Amino acid sequence: MDIKSGHPSPVMTDSPQISNSRLTVRQSRPPHSSSSSQNNNLLLTVPRKKTGIIDDVKANAWFDAMIASSPTPALVNKDNDATTDMTYREWTVKYPSALTTFEKIMSVAKGKRIALFLDYDGTLSPIVEEPDAAYMSTDMRTAVQNVAKYFPTAIISGRSRDKVYEFVGLSELYYAGSHGMDIMSPAGESLYHKHLTRTVSINEQGKDVNLFQTASEFLPMIDKVLCSLVESTKDIKGVKVEDNRFCISVHYRNVEDKNWKLVAQCVDDVIKTYPKLRLTHGRKVLEIRPVIDWDKGKALTFLLESLGLNNCEDVLPIYVGDDRTDEDAFKVLRDGPNYGYGVLVSAMPKVSNAFYSLRDPSEVMEFLKALVTWKRSLG
Ligand SMILES: O=P(O)(O)OC[C@H]1O[C@H](O[C@H]2O[C@H](CO)[C@@H](O)[C@H](O)[C@H]2O)[C@H](O)[C@@H](O)[C@@H]1O
């Protein structure tokens, strides 16, 4: 179902969530329009029934979601298939390419300060089989480095902050790891959000930095769950349990399809005894994280505040991301008050809160280069 029009659509939904957070798409509105709508989906509650029947139903629901979020190769690898291509082109009417509409975007950006927010996996690096080998190309690193010379730039990732910093390796950027639950900003430049724990630390270059960690109290619980998940999935070939510090990823990309249900069951068996944790979906990954009112959208708002750029008419935030979790940030930019543009990176049609699209990381790189060229042309 096309949730914008209410009509059936060939467009795939990405990674359905079996929880209270819903993907809602509102009518497109340009940045800084005067009316803003309220976000009514922020309170997180996870209904948990402890009977065996309900648990089975839940594990089955996760399994269904795993299948739904994993399109068959026939749907994905059909570059030459006219129907698929037409479907993609139809989709780009709703979500135009940020490259072909670059001039239009820049006409809105004129006279404004752009702030750039970039997801990592699937955005700056291509999706690969082995999560630890998701390296960023040298060309991409140079493109990010150049764009950061002109615009404040932050990386917002589901990875642990240390890991994503290791991949990107640029000290001039802001970093938010664990889906925004672990933010690092240079010392002395931030307005502090009252419920964030601030710790002054020292970065790899020996410079003072501020850390803002929304979920510190969950660390002992996350560590316990991590151990349990490693143990319970150890006999399933291809599973990888990744420690993302304030959250955990259970990857099933390299697991045979027939064992996906087993993965869903193991994860459900472990987290059902932890009502303070919830489960979300990414790209062939189940993600376990604390039930707190914090996500990439909140991290984006926090970073804008930290940079002194929130609620400013002359600021245009742009967020580029490929995943279900990036939708929270797209929604923040769509709903305001920090109006801006979400850019969804996807080679296939998906329902999204983004305004624009790019096909893959190579187009992201082109977009970053175009931003630099545009800025230089202004003199
Ligand atoms: O927020 P992101 O920076 O996009 O991180 C989301 C997850 O990305 C990684 O997993 C995904 O990329 C892997 C490498 O390409 C791929 O093997 C995996 O199937 C994808 O789900 C990362 O490993 C996760 O921890 C992140 O949560």
Side-chain angles (χ1 to χ4, degrees), residues 119-121 126-131 134 156-159 179 242 244 249 251 253 283-285 287 296 322-323 325:
D119 166 55
Y120 183 72
D121 288 278
I127 293 294
V128 293
E129 302 283 293
E130 174 48 57
I156 305 187
S157 173
R159 300 252 187 189
H179 296 293
E242 187 181 3
N244 286 335
S249 289
H251 294 273
R253 182 170 294 279
R283 299 179 68 169
K284 297 208 175 153
V285 66
E287 303 194 284
K296 287 184 173 185
D322 73 312
D323 206 346
T325 58

